[in-house]
Amino acid sequence: MVSLPGDSELFEVLAKTVAIGPGAHDRVEVRTPFTGAVLGALPAARAEDVELAVRLARAAQARWAERTSGERAGIFLRFHDLLLRRQEEALDLIQMESGKARGHASEEILDTAIVARYYARRAGRFLRPRRRKGALPLLTYTREFRVPFGVVGFITPWNFPLTLGITDAIAALLAGNAAIVKPDPQASFTVLWAAKLLREAGLPEGVLSIVTGDGAVTGQALVDRADYITFTGSNRVGRTIAARAGERLTGCALELGGKNPLLVLRDADLSKAVEGIARACFVGAGQVCVSTERIYVEQPVFGQFLDAFAARTRRLALGAAFDYSMEVGSLTTAAQIARVEEHVRDAVEKGARVVTGGRRRTDLGPLFFEPTVLTGVREGMRVFTEETFGPVVSVYPVADETEAIERANATDFGLSASIWTGNARKGARIARAIRAGSVNVNEGYSAAWGSIDSPIGGMKESGLRPRHGAEGMLKFTESQTIAVQRLVPIAPSFGMSQAFFVRLMTRLLRILRWTPWLG
Ligand code: NAD
């Protein structure tokens, strides 16, 4: 079995960086998926600890919001540089917590650096006050301001400890908010490390806090207190958070699950496609919200595609290594591998065929599962509609692109999709017919995800309010309109009657109808 790199005291040091209230705390033990060894124990924050974190954050936020965009940006550009310089530490931590292959972990470093640079550079432009057309041309001077909510809470999952643990908070912080992150216990050490790095980059105390613990107590306490809540995780928990936010009349953003389809059209270059499609399905051992779980292949190339794809999947290097020698890593938790095994067992029992994979690999570590390709999957099997969130993909033949689009859309999810074709224009046209928040043509997921200037999120039940782009920052602010009325009021004045005022306004509206530059 692989030996763990680095200094085991690191986990003790990181656990102590958590700002937490007085008295003894229960501890949540964290194990590495690679070997099952204990990494460390996190304090479980209670409701009163979260209350304290919110109070400190509120005090720190007022001073933070007074800083200029440029001052705030400087801190995040320093964070960007430190992250790239110290990426090996983060890569070890991400791998130890998530069990993913180092190549997949490295995507998190690149992504976090890109987000930090993008929002640091753009924040000033996104947030600056904007002149708006006034109620009465020339007489009403109107400006729109963006005001930070105050304390934004983030509840984050285990599958991308760094990317999902910290990047949304970066956007919120640069918009002038304080942030409190409640990471999944299985991803908390990476988030604590990132928070420590931000302090080193100059982020003032109290502006970002991490509260560790489980969802039901610590997470719920944050949902009950934050001025805005951002949740990334399962639809089940997402619904309860949205309901609570509704009761409190606070805003919330949700990034939820998917059952992402991928279309292989008859004109695709199959040799290139299988490489990219294997990446799309098995990145993070399939525990990626935007990874592919359903492949629809046009009938004329179905057999050829399936043979080539199964052969590539069989050759994927599966195992634990703290270098780049493995292409697929471990599943992250016992619950995940149980779910994956259950989906495969259920499908096979009801008549599906395992083309390759399908087995647990305890010889590699406690939570490894082979990249698995299924055919003959039908309605009634769990894997047909439910998100597996593991290295299992079903391949279906379809008559033509119309059937492929119909079947791709036959789901309550709408997170991500991918289309492989020799004709990029056709791919882009078909993409418009798919109800998913992002669609990649001739790439699995990273073309859209990496296009950070454009928002990315879920349609249908896959989410509310995207991340990235201007929207990914502005959602952490409220608009405030300030209008100054000059010379005359918006009411009858100078002794005019109400009837005269109405006639005057009617005439004004008629003029505005024909003068687009004025109204
Ligand atoms: P989860 O919903 O079980 O947990 C996510 C977070 O919510 C954790 O921090 C957990 O402690 C917390 N939590 C649990 N119950 C809570 C409660 N009652 N109140 C407050 N917080 C609570 O999800 P998971 O299993 O960690 O993640 C897997 C799911 O997340 C998959 O469905 C996946 O598709 C989705 N996901 C979506 C995206 C996206 O960007 N759309 C990204 C990653 C994962």
Side-chain angles (χ1 to χ4, degrees):
M1 271 198 190
V2 70
S3 57
L4 304 183
D7 171 7
S8 61
E9 277 176 24
L10 173 67
F11 295 96
E12 196 53 34
V13 171
L14 287 175
K16 284 196 181 130
T17 64
V18 184
I20 214 112
H25 286 81
D26 289 344
R27 315 278 286 182
V28 185
E29 201 174 69
V30 181
R31 290 170 183 272
T32 176
F34 276 158
T35 63
V38 173
L39 289 179
L42 297 158
R46 303 157 301 199
E48 58 266 36
D49 303 320
V50 176
E51 175 77 38
L52 176 68
V54 171
R55 219 168 335 116
L56 295 174
R58 225 175 266 302
Q61 190 266 333
R63 292 188 298 276
W64 176 242
E66 278 168 12
R67 297 221 188 170
T68 64
S69 294
E71 283 171 338
R72 292 199 292 256
I75 294 169
F76 286 88
L77 291 173
R78 276 197 295 283
F79 169 75
H80 167 278
D81 298 344
L82 283 173
L83 178 62
L84 293 184
R85 202 175 314 140
R86 306 222 332 237
Q87 59 179 293
E88 296 300 321
E89 289 169 44
L91 286 170
D92 287 346
L93 269 174
I94 294 168
Q95 281 199 281
M96 278 191 271
E97 286 195 312
S98 69
K100 64 174 70 173
R102 202 164 185 86
H104 300 158
S106 72
E107 293 183 3
E108 299 203 46
I109 306 287
L110 303 178
D111 182 60
T112 305
I114 289 169
V115 170
R117 186 203 64 216
Y118 174 77
Y119 282 120
R121 292 244 175 93
R122 298 291 191 295
R125 203 180 312 160
F126 290 158
L127 299 169
R128 71 160 195 263
R130 279 168 214 281
R131 182 82 200 269
R132 298 294 181 200
K133 286 191 189 302
L136 290 182
L138 309 175
L139 299 175
T140 318
Y141 177 74
T142 303
R143 285 198 301 164
E144 178 196 332
F145 293 83
R146 306 301 312 193
V147 182
F149 277 108
V151 178
V152 181
F154 295 85
I155 299 186
T156 64
W158 43 263
N159 63 334
F160 275 83
L162 186 65
T163 279
L164 297 177
I166 209 75
T167 57
D168 292 328
I170 290 175
L173 288 163
L174 276 161
N177 294 285
I180 299 181
V181 182
K182 201 304 283 175
D184 190 279
Q186 196 62 43
S188 297
F189 287 116
T190 303
V191 177
L192 287 166
W193 180 88
K196 215 163 145 273
L197 206 66
L198 274 163
R199 282 303 305 278
E200 285 176 45
L203 194 70
E205 200 171 343
V207 169
L208 168 68
S209 310
I210 314 300
V211 288
T212 55
D214 69 6
V217 175
T218 318
Q220 188 63 51
L222 187 55
V223 175
D224 285 344
R225 287 165 179 79
D227 301 322
Y228 187 92
I229 198 89
T230 296
F231 170 78
T232 305
S234 63
N235 285 43
R236 183 183 61 79
V237 177
R239 276 179 217 283
T240 68
I241 287 178
R244 182 67 188 129
E247 277 170 30
R248 293 188 61 227
L249 292 179
T250 54
C252 73
L254 305 173
E255 306 289 347
L256 307 175
K259 183 78 186 172
N260 306 306
L262 182 151
L263 279 50
V264 181
L265 305 185
R266 63 188 79 195
D267 62 0
D269 177 344
L270 293 187
S271 58
K272 274 195 203 149
V274 290
E275 193 60 41
I277 295 173
R279 228 180 15 249
C281 299
F282 304 118
V283 58
Q287 302 169 118
V288 172
C289 53
V290 289
S291 59
T292 297
E293 296 201 359
R294 304 179 284 148
I295 301 180
Y296 299 103
V297 189
E298 278 197 280
Q299 188 71 64
V301 293
F302 179 77
Q304 198 191 341
F305 170 78
L306 186 63
D307 290 347
F309 179 57
R312 179 65 189 102
T313 302
R314 231 171 266 126
R315 282 201 317 275
L316 286 168
L318 173 71
F322 288 96
D323 57 27
Y324 293 96
S325 57
M326 292 299 153
E327 292 171 285
V328 182
S330 172
L331 290 170
T332 305
T333 64
Q336 273 303 118
I337 200 161
R339 181 184 170 100
V340 167
E341 282 189 310
E342 165 54 19
H343 276 209
V344 173
R345 190 200 57 74
D346 172 72
V348 170
E349 210 174 274
K350 292 173 181 163
R353 182 167 83 91
V354 176
V355 181
T356 184
R359 286 181 311 143
R360 195 174 178 143
R361 290 290 299 274
T362 43
D363 55 319
L364 301 174
L367 303 177
F368 282 87
F369 196 89
E370 289 175 341
T372 300
V373 178
L374 301 176
T375 55
V377 170
R378 286 191 315 274
E379 205 157 355
M381 299 176 186
R382 294 188 64 180
V383 77
F384 187 80
T385 43
E386 286 179 37
E387 182 184 43
T388 307
F389 217 52
V392 180
V393 61
S394 312
V395 188
Y396 305 86
V398 288
D400 51 24
E401 69 179 58
T402 310
E403 186 189 351
I405 294 167
E406 248 170 52
R407 296 187 66 176
N409 283 335
T411 169
D412 293 332
F413 292 115
L415 193 58
S416 174
S418 163
I419 298 168
W420 293 76
T421 169
N423 180 342
R425 280 175 83 110
K426 181 165 89 172
R429 171 178 57 75
I430 293 174
R432 294 298 311 277
I434 294 187
R435 291 271 295 155
S438 60
V439 187
N440 291 267
V441 177
N442 292 333
E443 176 57 62
Y445 60 92
S446 42
W449 188 278
S451 300
I452 187 177
D453 200 27
S454 193
I456 193 163
M459 287 185 178
K460 300 197 268 184
E461 293 185 9
S462 285
L464 276 182
R465 298 189 191 92
R467 51 169 64 98
H468 293 180
E471 279 182 78
M473 171 171 268
L474 294 177
K475 73 181 178 187
F476 297 120
T477 64
E478 301 184 90
S479 59
Q480 183 184 41
T481 295
I482 297 184
V484 178
Q485 188 60 25
R486 298 188 282 210
L487 303 175
V488 292
I490 306 181
S493 52
F494 307 116
M496 71 177 69
S497 69
Q498 183 72 41
F500 182 82
F501 177 72
V502 170
R503 277 203 302 282
L504 194 66
M505 289 304 287
T506 304
R507 182 158 301 168
L508 176 64
L509 293 191
R510 288 202 175 110
I511 292 169
L512 291 178
R513 162 74 175 82
W514 298 108
T515 52
W517 57 95
L518 273 181

